């Protein structure tokens, strides 16, 4: 279930990245029209339709790529936890709204390419993370499926099929060609080629003989083996690998914790600077200058969140 959910999330993000990238790249390319020189009359004649075209292309990109950030930002904002998602929502939202007002008013700065670019880069990063988690979940599922649940125990009266959980240390189990080894143990009789790809990643089989150690989940390719049990179930090497990888997948990297601590201070400081900027420039040059400069502070802080 986790693999399906992770794969579905990654697929949904990939679709959003594809559509968002299409609109964002067009916004960025069309923005060059506003940055290039030329005759003043020609520039003014073309600028109006370019501005409306940019707004039309940027709007679906901002909606597609920005919706997850808005959802996470609102959720964390309600808990008074200010992180980079909140900053991205404020910065990109400010850039988009200011640009939309400039288009409607027919004059003023446009930051649509910046807003789309920030959202696109951040979403690509989130997609790579989701795809990696989905692949890890699939790998864990494969490892878990490779763990045998039953074994042939060798007794003084013959052989019996038992659950692996009923095996004890020093029991002997027989593994026939084509079967997976159910326990960690030592070979007491026989020799065979054993595929250990699940443990070591090595694609070539290893030749194992009496006295050699073998691991649960590995595949006996071509020989009959009698193995003395050393470890079974959750104590085997393969089970420990699955457990460690699962803990790593669900846990947080130390760097992520550091980023949370930094952003918990960084975001309020940015908001305080933006508010101070608004107050200062409003009192000095009026409301328009105050809004513009405060929004610039938020917008400039957004790439810092990416860093």
């Amino acid at each position: 279930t986790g693999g399906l959910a992770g794969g579905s999330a990654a697929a949904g993000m990939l679709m959003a990245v594809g559509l968002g990238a299409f609109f964002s790249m067009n916004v960025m390319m069309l923005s060059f029209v506003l940055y290039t020189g030329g005759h003043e009359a020609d520039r003014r004649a073309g600028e109006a339709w370019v501005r409306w075209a940019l707004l039309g292309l940027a709007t679906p990109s901002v909606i597609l790529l920005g919706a997850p950030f808005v959802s996470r930002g609102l959720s964390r904002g309600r808990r008074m936890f200010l992180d980079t998602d909140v900053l991205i929502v404020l910065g990109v939202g400010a850039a988009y709204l200011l640009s939309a007002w400039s288009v409607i008013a027919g004059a003023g700065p446009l930051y649509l390419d910046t807003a789309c670019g920030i959202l696109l880069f951040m979403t690509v990063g989130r997609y790579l993370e989701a795809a990696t988690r989905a692949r890890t979940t699939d790998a864990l599922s494969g490892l878990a499926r490779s763990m045998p649940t039953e074994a042939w125990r060798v007794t003084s009266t013959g052989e019996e099929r038992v659950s692996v959980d009923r095996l004890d240390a020093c029991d002997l189990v027989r593994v026939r060609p084509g079967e997976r080894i159910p326990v960690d143990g030592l070979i007491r009789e026989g020799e065979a080629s054993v595929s250990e790809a699940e443990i070591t990643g090595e694609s070539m089989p290893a030749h194992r003989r009496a006295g050699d150690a073998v691991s649960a989940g590995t595949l006996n390719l071509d020989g009959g083996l009698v193995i003395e049990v050393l470890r079974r179930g959750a104590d085997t090497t393969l089970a420990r690998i699955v457990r460690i990888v699962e803990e790593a997948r669900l846990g947080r990297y130390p760097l992520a914790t550091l980023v949370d601590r930094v952003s918990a201070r960084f975001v309020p400081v940015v908001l305080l600077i933006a508010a101070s900027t608004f107050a200062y420039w409003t009192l000095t040059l009026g409301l328009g200058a105050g809004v513009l400069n405060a929004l610039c502070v938020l917008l400039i802080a957004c790439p810092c969140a990416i860093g």
Side-chain angles (χ1 to χ4, degrees):
T1 304
L4 290 175
S8 176
M13 283 183 127
L14 181 59
M15 182 176 297
V17 167
L19 291 172
F22 169 77
F23 290 113
S24 296
M25 294 305 176
N26 278 281
V27 168
M28 294 175 190
M29 288 189 293
L30 195 56
S31 294
F32 280 108
V33 175
L34 302 181
Y35 303 148
T36 55
H39 296 293
E40 184 68 16
D42 295 337
R43 188 183 66 79
R44 287 184 176 179
E47 187 173 294
W49 75 265
V50 170
R51 283 171 167 263
W52 281 103
L54 285 171
L55 183 60
L57 290 168
T59 299
S61 179
V62 169
I63 293 173
L64 276 171
L65 301 180
F69 293 96
V70 172
S71 176
R72 287 190 295 267
L74 290 176
S75 174
R76 293 171 182 177
R78 282 194 294 267
R79 301 196 304 268
M80 299 306 294
F81 179 73
L82 302 179
D83 63 355
T84 51
D85 281 344
V86 175
L87 186 60
I88 289 167
V89 169
L90 290 174
V92 171
Y96 177 80
L97 292 175
L98 176 63
S99 300
W101 174 254
S102 297
V103 171
I104 295 171
L110 293 185
Y111 299 114
L112 295 171
D113 52 342
T114 304
C116 292
I118 289 172
L119 285 176
L120 179 60
F121 283 121
M122 291 298 292
T123 305
V124 168
R126 299 287 170 89
Y127 163 72
L128 294 175
E129 180 183 359
T132 300
R133 288 183 180 273
R135 287 195 299 270
T136 303
T137 301
D138 291 340
L140 285 174
S141 300
L143 286 174
R145 286 194 300 269
S146 70
M147 294 286 286
T149 58
E150 293 184 327
W152 289 101
R153 179 164 59 186
V154 179
T155 66
S156 57
T157 59
E159 298 178 6
E160 59 178 350
R161 188 76 167 176
V162 298
S163 169
V164 171
D165 294 336
R166 293 179 55 194
L167 295 173
D168 296 317
C170 299
D171 279 352
L172 297 178
V173 297
R174 185 178 300 280
V175 182
R176 295 174 173 81
E179 293 181 341
R180 289 197 177 273
I181 297 172
V183 294
D184 286 358
L186 295 174
I187 298 176
R188 292 308 182 195
E189 296 179 16
E191 58 181 295
S193 296
V194 178
S195 172
E196 300 178 340
E198 289 83 356
I199 303 297
T200 65
E202 174 58 56
S203 60
M204 297 297 293
H207 188 73
R208 296 288 180 253
R209 57 177 63 87
D212 289 342
V214 289
S215 298
T218 57
L219 181 63
N220 175 12
L221 296 176
D222 55 14
L225 300 175
V226 175
I227 299 171
E228 178 185 344
V229 177
L230 295 181
R231 292 178 297 273
R232 61 172 177 78
D235 297 326
T236 63
T237 300
L238 183 57
R240 290 201 301 270
I241 291 174
V242 171
R243 189 162 57 249
I244 290 170
V245 175
E246 179 68 15
E247 290 172 355
R249 185 181 71 87
L250 296 177
R252 292 180 61 80
Y253 299 107
L255 182 60
T257 304
L258 174 62
V259 169
D260 280 347
R261 288 204 304 268
V262 172
S263 62
R265 294 168 174 79
F266 177 71
V267 175
V269 168
V270 169
L271 297 180
L272 180 61
I273 294 173
S276 302
T277 302
F278 172 77
Y280 174 80
W281 286 105
T282 298
L283 293 174
T284 305
L285 295 178
L287 180 62
V291 171
L292 178 61
N293 286 295
L295 294 182
C296 285
V297 170
L298 292 176
L299 188 60
I300 290 169
C302 260
C304 297
I306 297 176

